[in-house]
Amino acid sequence: MLKAIGKCIDTLPISRLFSQGEHLADTVIIEVDRFHDGEDLSGWTFLMRGVTASGGETETILEKAAEEQTIRLTWKVDKSFTTEAGTLELDLIAYRSAAETPAQILRYQLPPVQVLGQPGNEETLDTKSYTEFLIEVRETAENAIAEITEVVNGYKSELSNLYEDRIAALESAVQQLQTAVAAMTPISILTQEAYDALPEPDPETLYVITASD
């Protein structure tokens, strides 16, 4: 079993465990702290990544079992990690999905191990890992969304201010018109008979006399 001290994991016990061409011959148990910097890692995904001397990359999701203070990870070493003889650099990554807020990534430091070669086997690992690429793309997309949202909100604010100014100008114009209309001399249209029947005509009113029917 490998035990993490913080984010450091000593790989000496498995430094010469693997032989070229093996497939699921070894199961490595790794024990890490369940809590790191106040975060409960029991809901995180743990991924083991391997990089060979030729630049080939592979990765696998580790099984996990959460205990009270630790998390026990199970790494079943498949042939993608033992295809190429020589130095195998290991990269244990714990990450929380970008669907959650915020997305987080935690990396453990592991010394490289050796894959013992087989006579006449010059095979190299030519596959590539896209985990880091996908994580970078995801982060880039999230940053782009945040930037676009900021710009859109800025435009909304500018448009809101613009429309507020226009609305305020229209309201002011309406008020001025209302004041002007209220200040205008009242007009009353009526017949001569109706006018003569008034007890006392209003001196502030303009009377328009129409012909009788």
Side-chain angles (χ1 to χ4, degrees):
M1 177 187 292
L2 305 181
K3 290 188 177 182
I5 300 177
K7 293 189 293 182
C8 297
I9 300 175
D10 184 6
T11 58
L12 181 60
I14 64 169
S15 61
R16 299 182 66 83
L17 178 65
F18 309 136
S19 293
Q20 188 177 18
E22 289 183 328
H23 177 59
L24 301 180
D26 296 293
T27 298
V28 179
I29 304 300
I30 305 171
E31 189 176 83
V32 301
D33 293 333
R34 176 170 174 171
F35 300 93
H36 176 78
D37 196 30
E39 293 286 345
D40 184 352
L41 307 181
S42 61
W44 291 34
T45 299
F46 287 82
L47 179 145
M48 180 65 79
R49 176 170 163 263
V51 182
T52 67
S54 68
E57 299 183 29
T58 186
E59 61 188 32
T60 186
I61 300 296
L62 304 186
E63 298 175 10
K64 65 181 179 182
E67 300 179 358
E68 187 175 350
Q69 294 296 327
T70 60
I71 297 175
R72 178 167 291 196
L73 306 171
T74 301
W75 173 27
K76 297 179 179 179
V77 185
D78 62 41
K79 60 183 178 182
S80 64
F81 286 88
T82 62
T83 297
E84 182 178 331
T87 301
L88 177 66
E89 295 184 13
L90 298 177
D91 181 22
L92 178 59
I93 305 169
Y95 64 91
R96 187 166 71 167
S97 170
E100 303 178 49
T101 304
Q104 291 176 277
I105 300 173
L106 174 65
R107 308 190 90 120
Y108 294 84
Q109 290 84 46
L110 297 84
V113 299
Q114 295 295 316
V115 177
L116 304 180
Q118 297 300 310
N121 191 339
E122 303 297 333
E123 187 175 1
T124 59
L125 182 67
D126 58 2
T127 58
K128 297 295 182 182
S129 168
Y130 293 97
T131 299
E132 291 190 341
F133 170 74
L134 292 177
I135 291 174
E136 290 176 3
V137 169
R138 186 179 295 156
E139 291 178 343
T140 300
E142 290 176 344
N143 292 336
I145 291 172
E147 291 177 1
I148 292 173
T149 300
E150 183 178 354
V151 172
V152 169
N153 289 338
Y155 280 131
K156 284 183 179 179
S157 177
E158 291 179 6
L159 290 174
S160 175
N161 293 335
L162 175 62
Y163 287 130
E164 285 180 359
D165 292 343
R166 292 186 177 182
I167 290 173
L170 289 173
E171 289 178 342
S172 176
V174 170
Q175 290 177 352
Q176 291 177 7
L177 286 174
Q178 290 175 336
T179 301
V181 170
M184 292 176 63
T185 301
I187 299 176
S188 178
I189 302 175
L190 68 173
T191 63
Q192 184 65 53
E193 290 79 2
Y195 178 78
D196 293 338
L198 292 174
E200 184 176 352
D202 183 1
E204 302 295 331
T205 301
L206 173 63
Y207 294 97
V208 177
I209 307 302
T210 63
S212 300
D213 295 334

